[in-house]
Amino acid sequence: MPEPSAPPPTPPVPLAALLADGPLGLRLVAGLPDARTERVAVHWVHTSEMADPYPYLLGGELLLTAGVQLTDAHAETYVKRVVEAGAAALGFGVAPVFDTVPESLVEACDRHGLPLLEIPRHIPFTTVARGVWRLMAEARHRELRRVTEAQQGLAAAAARPDPVPAVLRQLAVRLGGRAVLFAPDGAELHATGRDPAPGSRTALARLARVVNPPHGTATDTAGGAPLAAYALGGGQGLVLGVAAGSREAGDHTVTGAAVVLLSLLTAPHQGAAEAARSAALVRLLLGATPTEAAPLLGPGPWTVVHAHGGDTPFAASALGAALGSALAETDGATVRVLTDRPVTAQPGWTLGASAPVGPAALAEADTQAERALRHAEATRTDLVHHRDPGPDALTALVPPEEAAAHARARLAPIAGSPALTETLRTWLSLHGSWDRTAVALTVHRNTVRQRIARCATLLEADLDEADVRMDLWFALRRL
């Protein structure tokens, strides 16, 4: 069954978006017509002056080079190897080796259909890389917001009097297509939405018949429309079929949330289903708007608790009961509880608790609880409550919008990597301790060192300097 809490992957950047970024000044000089650049996706940036960069490419790169080892005789072989490696495009810097893009390289890129970009002499390669990471961060932010809003809509639909059709309607709207609940014999029990392409309805019904409940999944396309079928849990032999209007990075995450909810809603034992449904709502409603959350949770204030401990199948329910709440869930490693009671330490558990908040701030409280739990484990404390440090003198001097703009610009090189951002945040919060950061993030201390070194390189910062650390901490708090 798809994991509903997994974040969507970072969307790639269309080559057209890079070319449209005025400050970068990139110019397409060969490889394909301008009209087709929207179809070329850049997944990352790599710089290499190797005569044969093939062994160092993963595919999807914007490969940057100044042509240090390039000759007219070698251009054909070079481009052929770059294409074989699956690079998305080639960026050529017209300095300091060449004053213009070599004609032999232009001709080779045209022959092989490899987009060739001219990088102005005054634009460093690091600026191009930062431009790509910034566009990726913006794309990821938009996709995360879309997925979050979709999950909130699905969770609210699950709480309605007729939840199964409501969840299907919400899913069809969010994916711009059609959602169907199929019976074990292939009959449509519930269907809603529009067919995104001719023949998609028939193809979706055929796809649903090849799924083997309770764990099977299958995908296909019909007329360019992505199709997917998922077996629902619960032992009823039901299958969810989806025909989407397009293929977006977060669609699998959205559909996974619907699969979880529909599996719970169609489970045969209503008592167990209601408990499981509450757990699903804990996962999906953290971040809901007041309008969506208040009818389900009440005005609060609510405290979000993250916990490690308890090794029984009923650990989440037991902790929830101890904290005076039925709203508990677990992913197998971390238990999360929503409670309107005071949080106290529990034997055998390590707890991180957010500040008490209303429904509008549940997403922020979830993050607070996660960080509080990491701090509790790093300091070997049974319970850590989030404490707002409050505004300091520096914050009071800077308008919020200017602080946010500074944070986005300062952290743009690492914004596309949640692992780097969170490692830097945790490392700074623990005063640069490698061991305590490793404990808090549950990674090896060498991984922490590698990530921090990568942050220093991308940010072009000396992290041994107190002023640099202060500036980055300020930016991370405002990001």
Side-chain angles (χ1 to χ4, degrees):
M1 184 181 297
E3 173 53 58
S5 61
T10 299
V13 175
L15 186 60
L18 277 175
L19 293 169
D21 195 307
L24 293 180
L26 304 180
R27 185 171 69 92
L28 181 67
V29 296
L32 78 169
D34 287 346
R36 294 180 54 194
T37 56
E38 191 67 40
R39 304 178 187 178
V40 178
V42 175
H43 292 263
W44 35 68
V45 181
H46 181 68
T47 301
S48 175
E49 298 300 341
M50 301 292 292
D52 180 12
Y54 181 98
Y56 308 97
L57 301 181
L58 299 175
E61 296 93 348
L62 169 60
L63 176 62
L64 306 181
T65 181
V68 172
Q69 300 193 54
L70 183 69
T71 63
D72 288 343
H74 180 57
E76 176 71 18
T77 302
Y78 180 84
V79 170
K80 184 178 180 181
R81 292 289 283 171
V82 171
V83 171
E84 289 175 351
L90 179 64
F92 192 88
V94 290
V97 182
F98 292 87
D99 292 330
T100 60
V101 181
E103 188 61 31
S104 59
L105 187 62
V106 173
E107 294 173 355
C109 287
D110 274 332
R111 279 193 297 272
H112 291 277
L114 177 66
L116 176 61
L117 312 184
E118 180 187 82
I119 303 174
R121 64 178 64 248
H122 65 281
I123 299 294
F125 285 178
T126 54
T127 300
V128 177
R130 285 186 175 185
V132 172
W133 305 142
R134 172 175 49 79
L135 291 172
M136 282 185 171
E138 292 172 356
R140 179 170 176 79
H141 176 75
R142 290 192 298 269
E143 188 65 6
L144 284 173
R145 181 173 181 177
R146 183 183 75 89
V147 169
T148 299
E149 291 174 350
Q151 290 180 327
Q152 292 170 8
L154 289 168
R160 292 172 185 162
D162 196 8
V164 172
V167 168
L168 290 172
R169 282 194 300 272
Q170 188 67 216
L171 181 62
V173 169
R174 296 294 179 174
L175 300 185
R178 190 166 186 264
V180 184
L181 183 62
F182 292 99
D185 62 0
E188 292 187 358
L189 296 178
H190 300 281
T192 186
R194 61 176 183 84
D195 295 317
S200 61
R201 180 174 301 198
T202 302
L204 185 60
R206 184 169 57 248
L207 184 66
R209 287 195 291 271
V210 308
V211 173
N212 183 27
H215 304 298
T217 61
T219 59
D220 199 358
T221 58
L227 309 179
Y230 303 85
L232 301 186
Q236 302 302 294
L238 303 178
V239 175
L240 170 65
V242 176
S246 60
R247 192 185 304 276
E248 302 295 338
D251 286 351
H252 184 71
T253 305
V254 173
T255 307
V259 170
V260 171
L261 285 173
L262 290 170
S263 296
L264 298 172
L265 293 170
T266 58
H269 304 294
Q270 290 303 310
E274 286 299 318
R277 181 179 172 187
S278 295
L281 291 177
V282 171
R283 293 196 295 271
L284 297 175
L285 281 178
L286 289 172
T289 65
T291 301
E292 294 167 332
L296 301 173
L297 299 177
W302 292 89
T303 299
V304 181
V305 178
H306 281 222
H308 284 164
D311 55 0
T312 71
F314 309 102
S317 299
L319 179 61
L323 297 177
S325 174
L327 294 175
E329 68 91 21
T330 180
D331 59 5
T334 302
V335 172
R336 293 196 294 183
V337 179
L338 284 175
T339 181
D340 58 356
R341 309 285 181 85
V343 179
T344 58
Q346 301 296 321
W349 291 92
T350 302
L351 308 179
S354 74
V357 299
L362 286 176
E364 180 182 354
D366 191 40
T367 301
Q368 292 175 0
E370 178 185 8
R371 292 175 182 161
L373 175 59
R374 290 179 179 176
H375 188 70
E377 292 187 318
T379 56
R380 295 178 173 83
T381 305
D382 292 338
L383 169 63
V384 168
H385 288 273
H386 170 79
R387 292 289 183 267
D388 187 351
D392 53 27
L394 178 61
T395 303
L397 293 174
V398 182
E401 60 276 8
E402 292 183 17
H406 168 77
R408 288 192 296 270
R410 186 69 181 92
L411 300 172
I414 65 170
S417 173
L420 291 182
T421 304
E422 192 57 26
T423 299
L424 180 60
R425 184 196 306 275
T426 304
W427 184 74
L428 290 173
S429 73
L430 294 173
H431 311 291
S433 169
W434 307 109
D435 291 331
R436 294 172 68 191
T437 302
V439 171
L441 297 177
T442 63
V443 298
H444 195 276
R445 69 195 307 272
N446 287 345
T447 300
V448 175
R449 287 184 177 275
Q450 291 166 2
R451 289 180 181 176
I452 294 301
R454 184 62 176 158
C455 287
T457 300
L458 292 175
L459 295 169
E460 299 180 341
D462 183 358
L463 296 181
D464 290 330
E465 292 289 335
D467 288 345
V468 173
R469 292 193 184 192
M470 181 180 67
D471 179 49
L472 290 173
W473 181 245
F474 175 85
L476 284 164
R477 288 181 60 191
R478 298 301 175 270
L479 185 64

